[in-house]
Amino acid sequence: MSQQQISLPAKLINGGVAGIVGVTCVFPIDLAKTRLQNQRHGQQVYRSMVDCLLKTVRSEGYLGMYRGAAVNLTLVTPEKAIKLAANDFFRHHFARDGRGLTVFREMLAGCGAGICQVIITTPMEMLKIQLQDAGRLTAQQRSPAMTPPLKLSVAGTAVPARQYNAGVAAVRSVSASQIAWDLLHSQGVGGLYRGLGATLLRDVPFSMIYFPLFAHLHRLGQGQPSEAPPFYWSFLSGCGAGCIAAVAVNPCDVIKTRLQSLSRGANEESYSGIVDCARKILRKEGPSAFLKGASCRALLIAPLFGIAQVVYVLGVGEFVLDYTPNALFSA
């Protein structure tokens, strides 16, 4: 991939196609992951991913499984474009001396891609999590074993007036734009970047693992060095690398989800930062809490990145640009 010309319009198209197809296919799993990760010990509403999805359909309808998908579908195009294009750029830069890419250089390229993508990823995840978790809090209110009062807390700062979790009507009517406006009005741009450090802690190691691993798995499918592997091998390589990287950084994803959740149920503690969050989770819920949602995340990331790599390797964006009116008239 480092030999391909870096074309931003093509990467935008590739990222958009891959992101829209991937998000549409696997978003319900992402919703289950968020809700499972936010559950505290002794306050479990859902027993498993399947139980979470079944209860979501019963209480919120089929479309409830896609709560927050609009945010992803809107921002996934620039996010995937930045991630893939940045990795290409850094790989190309590190390989310019003709000595090829060592594993260390591949990891550095992935690190650069992870740092670049959080510009989009952090606000996207911030808004998506509020919408995804609202149904869990509503279900928790209904449970007779749990006390009903809920409150919104933002680490001791002034909070938005709207209650994102105050019943089913609020769950159905609140939108990402309303949450974004509340955050901007009360906390400024920094409100949308709450959990930035935790997002970096997750996405940088993920990219450092994923991109080198994908490159090596992808290379195994080449009959000859000059030949491109078949598209199904690109898909399998993306799935395998994505699955391993996703599980490896799952503890960081749990911390990020907890820090970015503005609404909390009764008796759910707040966190002042990454270290405080990790310490409280370890003390109150045990080491296994850091693996909450790991299977969901593996099932989510594997096909998402498999699809992304197929679209990217096949050059869908380049193909589309070759058949635009300008390209046809200039031929």
Side-chain angles (χ1 to χ4, degrees), residues 52-69:
C52 177
L53 294 177
L54 288 175
K55 287 180 178 177
T56 298
V57 172
R58 282 199 296 265
S59 62
E60 303 171 50
Y62 176 77
L63 293 179
M65 294 192 298
Y66 286 88
R67 191 79 57 201

Side-chain angles (χ1 to χ4, degrees), residues 130-141:
Q130 314 317 316
L131 296 171
Q132 287 181 328
D133 201 41
R136 177 188 70 88
L137 294 167
T138 301
Q140 191 183 91
Q141 281 183 287

Side-chain angles (χ1 to χ4, degrees), residues 57 72 86 92 113 121 145 163 166 169 201 215 225 230 247 257 259 275 303 306 312 316:
V57 172
N72 265 32
H92 181 76
T121 303
Q163 297 293 311
L201 192 63
V247 174
T257 300
L259 288 175
V275 175
Y312 190 62
V316 173

Side-chain angles (χ1 to χ4, degrees), residues 100 187 273 282 303:
Q187 301 175 50
L282 183 63

Side-chain angles (χ1 to χ4, degrees), residues 73-131:
L73 291 172
T74 302
L75 297 178
V76 75
T77 296
E79 187 216 22
K80 285 287 182 290
I82 290 172
K83 188 184 190 82
L84 296 173
N87 181 66
D88 257 9
F89 172 80
F90 288 117
R91 287 176 69 89
H92 181 76
H93 177 77
F94 291 141
R96 280 192 306 181
D97 58 6
R99 293 185 298 173
L101 285 168
T102 63
V103 173
F104 178 71
R105 289 186 176 191
E106 288 181 325
M107 292 178 71
L108 283 179
C111 176
I115 292 172
C116 292
Q117 79 169 87
V118 298
I119 298 171
I120 303 295
T121 303
T122 305
M124 179 180 74
E125 292 274 315
M126 182 70 190
L127 298 175
K128 181 194 71 173
I129 285 173
Q130 314 317 316
L131 296 171

Side-chain angles (χ1 to χ4, degrees), residues 243-261:
C243 182
I244 293 171
V247 174
V249 302
N250 196 75
C252 303
D253 191 51
V254 173
I255 293 172
K256 183 198 74 67
T257 300
R258 296 282 182 94
L259 288 175
Q260 288 189 318
S261 296

